[in-house]
Amino acid sequence: METAIIVISLLSVLLVGALAFAVRTILKMKKERLRDLEHDEMTGLLNRDGFMLAGRSALMGGRRDMSLIIFDVDRLGLINTLFGAERGDDVIRIFARAVDTVKSDGDITGRVNTDDFALLTGMDARTAVERFESALRGMIDDRELSEQVNYFAGICRYDGHDDIYTLYNKANLCLLMRRDNLRVSEFTPDMESRMVENELLRSEMLDALRLGQFELYYQPKVSFKTGDILGVEALIRWHHPVKGFIPPCDFIPLAEQFGIITQIDEWGLITACLQCKQWQVQGLPPVKVSVNMSQAQFARTDVYASVVKALEMTGLEPKYLEIEVTETMAMTDVDRTVEVLGKIHSLGVSISMDDFGTGYSSLASLKTIPFDVLKIDRSLVCDLSENDTSRRITGAIVAMGKALRMDVLAEGVETREQSRLLGEIGCDLAQGYLFSKPMPASEIETMLILPLNAKLV
Ligand code: C2E
Ligand code: CA
Ligand code: CA
């Protein structure tokens, strides 16, 4: 009897032990599964859900000195296209390592989107970004790749009240509202109202395209030698049904930010080609039409295909089309720019460098890109009469343009004195209010018949 009791007790102890082991194993497996669900497979960092959970606990723990930073890999798609998807994946892993390097005790890191990494840190946010930058650069040994790898950082400092989701949304808003030239942007309360306004503007711009509220105005380009109009620059105008006339500087940068510029510029390209062809059909003296191409348009679309399509659709000969690009654009993604502009140029389309003298004034891009025209920026032209240095710089630009067999055009010519000096310096073409402001197509037509040489001194 006693033996039976001992056996039963032993069996129960064993059973309880086995049960406890089974429960522990199940719990461990569950925990591991949960861990899998909270982690990003590729980088091993917390994923979005995991980051939010950990972030919530950290904030509930009562820490107030925290900031949330989101690092957004810039143009990952382009990196994939240029270097292949494997290198794109490497870049993702490098970002993950760089964010993790910055992390100190109590900080939380995560991959919160395909190309977004988050850091909830007790460190000063700007210092954290600086450390991230140097960690990132130190990890990329391929110079070509390093040139293409960029990021934007959105920062929101914890105010002691927000929950993790609000904090995240605010940091994310900094990325949505960023200006292309700002690498780091910090949340300010006015961003929320601007975001609402921008959303409205975005849908208004799409309506404007659909309802035909955009119009191209044209500004003549005049030959110093003959006084003839050799070309016109197409400049967009928005006739807003309520706000009235909106100048391009007020909506083009936003259209770039919203990604709508590609549609606007495509419309502009076709409309300008069509107008130019129509003037020819009407029997007016043939002129070249030039179209501005934004950097975003260049980065996001196949500009060569758009140009071919516009020429085919309208029947305009390539020699009557000119594409204006800025220096900054030519400096970004140089290899691709050289290739695409080279292809466009070989169609017989002219290429001009806009706003020369304002950006880096890169001589290297002048060597590699087949520019036909150099447009001297208005900022140099406007104080030509008073400023000896501007005069010398302009003279040097003209000499350089000639040496490189380009035509040199002076922008923003407003006075006869400026025109006289530019003629003396040896400019080929002039554009500015002295000759004409940008005008609707119907008003430019009369000018195409009447020469403007009376204005040239
Ligand atoms: P931009 O390409 O440098 O165009 C020249 C600007 O200078 C135009 O301003 C023109 O009206 C102005 N301008 C011309 N002559 C004079 C002058 O004598 N004095 C002064 N003060 N200004 C003069 P606008 O039309 O307001 O265009 C501003 C900018 O917007 C353009 O600068 C261009 O970068 C951009 N833009 C205009 N249309 C388009 C477009 O269809 N697509 C794209 N992507 N950008 C455009
Ligand atoms: Ca221009
Ligand atoms: Ca310009």
Side-chain angles (χ1 to χ4, degrees):
M1 181 66 182
E2 236 174 59
T3 324
I5 291 172
I6 291 171
V7 170
I8 289 172
S9 314
L10 265 175
L11 276 175
S12 1
V13 168
L14 277 175
L15 200 66
V16 168
L19 264 173
F21 178 75
V23 168
R24 265 206 312 274
T25 311
I26 290 170
L27 280 176
K28 199 172 153 212
M29 276 166 65
K30 268 199 162 167
K31 218 167 158 186
E32 271 169 12
R33 260 194 50 213
L34 208 66
R35 208 185 113 78
D36 281 353
L37 288 178
E38 285 170 8
H39 282 80
D40 169 53
E41 211 175 302
M42 187 195 276
T43 62
L45 289 186
L46 288 171
N47 61 21
R48 190 193 175 91
D49 289 344
F51 179 83
M52 291 301 186
L53 277 175
R56 193 168 60 178
S57 312
L59 295 189
M60 282 184 352
R63 281 191 68 177
R64 286 180 151 262
D65 56 340
M66 304 210 84
S67 298
L68 198 155
I69 311 171
I70 304 178
F71 297 96
D72 169 31
V73 189
D74 185 29
R75 299 189 298 170
L76 181 63
L78 188 67
I79 292 174
N80 283 333
T81 311
L82 293 176
F83 299 90
E86 259 178 50
R87 293 299 272 154
D89 287 353
D90 286 345
V91 169
I92 296 277
R93 280 188 277 263
I94 289 173
F95 264 74
R97 272 200 288 138
V99 179
D100 229 31
T101 309
V102 178
K103 179 169 133 180
S104 56
D105 271 358
D107 288 0
I108 296 160
T109 52
R111 183 183 179 196
V112 286
N113 260 323
T114 319
D115 53 359
D116 286 344
F117 294 83
L119 169 68
L120 184 65
T121 179
M123 212 184 305
D124 170 66
R126 299 266 168 180
T127 311
V129 175
E130 277 168 25
R131 287 193 190 167
F132 170 80
E133 163 77 20
S134 64
L136 181 75
R137 295 298 159 201
M139 287 172 188
I140 311 173
D141 41 21
D142 180 334
R143 196 181 62 84
E144 263 181 53
L145 182 65
S146 186
E147 273 174 16
Q148 294 302 330
V149 170
N150 261 312
Y151 65 90
F152 292 97
I155 300 174
C156 183
R157 290 176 203 263
Y158 182 46
D159 62 1
H161 303 290
D162 285 342
D163 59 27
I164 186 72
Y165 295 97
T166 314
L167 200 60
Y168 175 83
N169 286 340
K170 286 179 175 174
N172 205 29
L173 194 57
C174 300
L175 298 175
L176 295 173
M177 302 286 292
R178 72 171 186 230
R179 299 258 174 244
D180 271 351
N181 54 351
L182 265 191
R183 172 167 292 185
V184 186
S185 150
E186 201 164 320
F187 176 79
T188 51
D190 68 307
M191 276 185 184
E192 285 169 309
S193 50
R194 273 200 289 138
M195 176 76 178
V196 175
E197 277 170 29
N198 282 359
E199 264 312 304
L200 182 69
L201 205 60
R202 187 187 138 82
S203 66
E204 284 179 342
M205 269 186 221
L206 288 170
D207 285 348
L209 268 172
R210 209 166 35 86
L211 302 171
Q213 291 165 6
F214 289 125
E215 183 182 0
L216 288 184
Y217 274 31
Y218 298 87
Q219 188 179 34
K221 297 178 176 180
V222 185
S223 156
F224 269 107
K225 242 189 241 144
T226 61
D228 292 332
I229 297 176
L230 298 185
V232 290
E233 176 175 4
L235 294 154
I236 197 164
R237 302 290 179 255
W238 182 3
H239 304 286
H240 190 283
V242 180
K243 295 174 193 152
F245 171 81
I246 306 182
C249 55
D250 284 358
F251 70 89
I252 292 283
L254 286 169
E256 287 186 354
Q257 200 179 316
F258 300 155
I260 301 178
I261 190 69
T262 49
Q263 294 168 59
I264 295 180
D265 275 355
E266 190 124 348
W267 169 85
L269 180 63
I270 293 172
T271 309
C273 290
L274 193 65
Q275 183 60 67
C276 191
K277 180 74 190 175
Q278 260 173 21
W279 283 328
Q280 292 177 8
V281 172
Q282 280 167 243
L284 294 168
V287 289
K288 220 177 231 188
V289 70
S290 69
V291 176
N292 290 283
M293 195 83 5
S294 88
Q295 189 180 329
Q297 169 81 346
F298 220 83
R300 290 182 201 151
T301 66
D302 184 350
V303 176
Y304 171 74
S306 306
V307 168
V308 170
K309 183 174 129 192
L311 292 172
E312 276 176 8
M313 271 174 74
T314 59
L316 184 72
E317 281 176 74
K319 65 177 180 184
Y320 292 114
L321 177 63
E322 185 167 303
I323 302 289
E324 298 200 0
V325 298
T326 61
E327 276 180 81
T328 334
M329 193 179 123
M331 294 282 293
T332 318
D333 206 351
V334 178
D335 290 348
R336 200 172 109 95
T337 312
V338 171
E339 190 203 326
V340 177
L341 287 179
K343 269 163 60 182
I344 294 175
H345 193 251
S346 63
L347 290 172
V349 173
S350 308
I351 314 282
S352 68
M353 179 176 269
D354 207 354
D355 306 341
F356 193 76
T358 52
Y360 303 97
S361 298
S362 152
L363 302 182
S365 58
L366 285 184
K367 219 170 59 185
T368 47
I369 295 173
F371 287 112
D372 302 282
V373 183
L374 206 60
K375 297 186 77 175
I376 303 177
D377 190 66
R378 185 159 58 91
S379 57
L380 279 173
V381 173
C382 68
D383 61 355
L384 213 55
S385 323
E386 307 87 48
N387 190 326
D388 198 34
T389 311
S390 289
R391 224 164 22 235
R392 282 182 210 197
I393 295 176
T394 308
I397 295 177
V398 172
M400 185 184 64
K402 301 256 145 162
L404 295 170
R405 298 207 168 81
M406 296 178 201
D407 282 338
V408 182
L409 180 150
E411 288 191 291
V413 183
E414 293 184 351
T415 66
R416 280 171 183 266
E417 177 63 1
Q418 286 164 355
S419 171
R420 187 183 65 78
L421 287 168
L422 289 161
E424 266 177 27
I425 290 171
C427 266
D428 303 288
L429 294 152
Q431 184 181 347
Y433 294 170
L434 175 65
F435 311 102
S436 166
K437 287 197 164 181
M439 302 280 222
S442 57
E443 290 174 47
I444 281 290
E445 278 165 23
T446 41
M447 259 183 256
L448 293 182
I449 305 162
L450 302 168
L452 285 168
N453 35 0
K455 297 273 180 65
L456 288 167
V457 181

